Amino acid sequence: LKKVLFSNFNMANNVIAALAIQYKPVLVACLNYLDGPEEPYTTDTLFSQERLRAITPGDLMRYFNFRLFGVPEPAVGHNIAPRLRSSTLMFWKKAISFFMPNRLHQWNEITGVGNPTKSSELNALVHEILRMEVRHQGVPSAARRATTHTEFSQWHVVLKEHSVNYIEKYGVRAMMNFQYHMVARIDDTCQVLLENLLHHDQFDDFVLKTKLNWSKNVMEERDAPFQAVLASDDPLFCVHLTLAVWLETMFAENPVGQMTPYLFGMSTDITVPRGGKKAKTLVQKLYKEKVFSRIPNSQRLGSHSLRKFAATWARTNGASKDELDLRGRWKSSRRISDIYTNIELPYPDVRVAALLCPGGPIKYAIREGANVSNDFILNYIVPHIQNRIGDRAALIMGKALLWGAFDDDETIMPPLLRQRIRDNYNTHVENDLADGLNPIKKIPVVVTGNEGQVFIDEVPEGPDGGNPPPPANGADAAAGPPAAQGRFIDRPLRKHMLAMHSQMHSLR
């Protein structure tokens, strides 16, 4: 218990120190304006509690008005255009509030005591700027916008065609897919550790799990549960496939890969968290210099655009706000019930993960007659992955990698890796498959929940070994465009009926 308390105490101190470094320049700028000292204050200046208690809402209003409109006391009904966004004002309020002696108390207009950043007049100023922005009378937003599905594809194409090394061509693309699938920030993603990539407890032969315990909102262990990682039908965006290609390549070609604790060990620095921060800097520089410059209308794209895209896509496709908050590890208002609720809620998490699988969620399975054993996958397909993360997770990624080696798209992985896998298969496996048939098949799956349990059911194959064909004519054929009715997995009613049918069989 003492160790836990000491660890939490140290973590809290680290958070406070980091916030002080981030917020201090705002306070310094404000007091330099208010006091006008002969020798300007710096971030090294220590302000007394008496000076901080002397700050009033009127002082802050003069400073905010000066920065907003250029005059400390603009006339009532003025039409001066603001120079700042409301988000900037809200950040300043938060930053100055951090140093206020009575920061937890509202400002009392009668006694003149409390936190001046929580005064009614300052709040009214922020709300007025918000209204002006809604009416397009304020400063245009410079926030990163969400990318689109087409642009996300272009990110991949640019990196595939213009990369100069395997880190850019395979590592960054795997990171992009992982960040999107986990609704994560880039700094969270760069800090993910290999030790936290495991097989899923319930679906241990085709689902991975991981956790992002460096997320901005993670303040205690409860905030970082393990979350599901599913495979996608579209190979361009499949996390299992692109991760397998990246890890097997990194471990084989980079000596640092044998020592790095990181899932995306793109830096030679293997210390935590410094190595992850360097990887983040490398990736952001790559986006700016090589990716966005080749995409039209990319002025407001950034690494955070992926998280916004993932959140928007999940909500558009039916995820509730609570489900999305759970998947994205966003903090809602803390409730007493949160203390008693299990931090891992499988169904809502897996449900949103399935929505974030372009092309639909799938499982990679060994085709009947392929004669592929687990030992073959571990020893000849993913030997380097198996050496670093163990058998269970390596087997899941090994099936994805074997599928990719026999797919017609030769750009999925490095040519040498592709050839090595094919040669090993042809040398060590006596199969009964027809020529040209991939030894691994992709099976569409559907996610449902019942009484707190999550179910992932396979979609049965059609007579030709694939999904049942769409109706050729009649009323159903006229119900919508081919894209809306083409695949079986795209038909919600039949999908849920099939899932229930599968569950009934499993209970017999």
Side-chain angles (χ1 to χ4, degrees), residues 161-189:
E161 296 180 352
H162 299 281
S163 296
V164 296
N165 56 57
Y166 76 93
I167 291 179
E168 296 178 3
K169 194 167 187 176
Y170 303 107
V172 176
R173 290 179 50 234
M175 176 187 286
M176 284 161 37
N177 288 340
F178 183 91
Q179 181 185 348
Y180 166 79
H181 190 65
M182 302 304 299
V183 198
R185 299 163 56 93
I186 188 173
D187 39 1
D188 310 341
T189 306

Side-chain angles (χ1 to χ4, degrees), residues 347-503:
Y347 173 61
D349 177 64
V350 176
R351 170 174 144 73
V352 180
L355 295 175
L356 296 172
C357 291
I362 56 107
K363 65 181 291 187
Y364 292 97
I366 300 171
R367 193 181 297 275
E368 186 176 354
N371 298 332
V372 172
S373 67
N374 289 346
D375 287 341
F376 171 78
I377 292 176
L378 295 175
N379 294 327
Y380 294 101
I381 307 301
V382 286
H384 299 93
I385 294 178
Q386 185 270 342
N387 186 51
R388 285 302 313 271
I389 68 173
D391 294 358
R392 306 286 288 278
L395 279 172
I396 295 172
M397 286 188 282
K399 285 180 278 191
L401 194 61
L402 182 57
W403 179 91
F406 281 88
D407 188 63
D408 294 334
D409 184 359
E410 298 182 0
T411 66
I412 288 177
M413 62 186 68
L416 289 179
L417 177 59
R418 175 184 173 90
Q419 193 58 49
R420 188 253 289 174
I421 293 174
R422 283 174 162 249
D423 288 345
N424 283 334
Y425 181 77
N426 293 330
T427 301
H428 299 283
V429 176
E430 295 183 3
N431 68 82
D432 303 322
L433 299 178
D435 292 341
L437 196 59
N438 198 314
I440 301 295
K441 60 182 178 179
K442 297 195 294 186
I443 304 175
V445 297
V446 291
V447 175
T448 54
N450 182 46
E451 295 185 353
Q453 296 187 65
V454 60
F455 298 91
I456 302 181
D457 302 298
E458 298 181 6
V459 175
E461 296 179 341
D464 61 347
N467 290 321
N473 48 45
D476 288 341
Q485 59 170 317
R487 298 185 315 153
F488 181 84
I489 201 168
D490 289 327
R491 303 175 198 168
L493 180 59
R494 293 190 65 189
K495 177 181 71 174
H496 291 297
M497 290 177 64
L498 176 66
M500 289 189 290
H501 180 71
S502 300
Q503 291 172 28

Side-chain angles (χ1 to χ4, degrees), residues 49 96 111 151 153-154 170 189 195 233 298-299 324 458 468:
Q49 291 295 296
I96 295 172
T111 62
E151 288 173 337
S153 301
Q154 291 174 334
Y170 303 107
T189 306
E195 66 183 29
D233 185 52
S298 62
Q299 293 84 354
L324 179 59
E458 298 181 6

Side-chain angles (χ1 to χ4, degrees), residues 58 94 115 145 492:
K94 184 195 299 185
N115 186 343
R145 66 171 175 84

Side-chain angles (χ1 to χ4, degrees), residues 185-204:
R185 299 163 56 93
I186 188 173
D187 39 1
D188 310 341
T189 306
C190 289
Q191 294 291 349
V192 176
L193 302 179
L194 280 167
E195 66 183 29
N196 287 331
L197 183 66
L198 305 168
H199 65 277
H200 195 275
D201 297 331
Q202 184 176 351
F203 310 103
D204 57 1

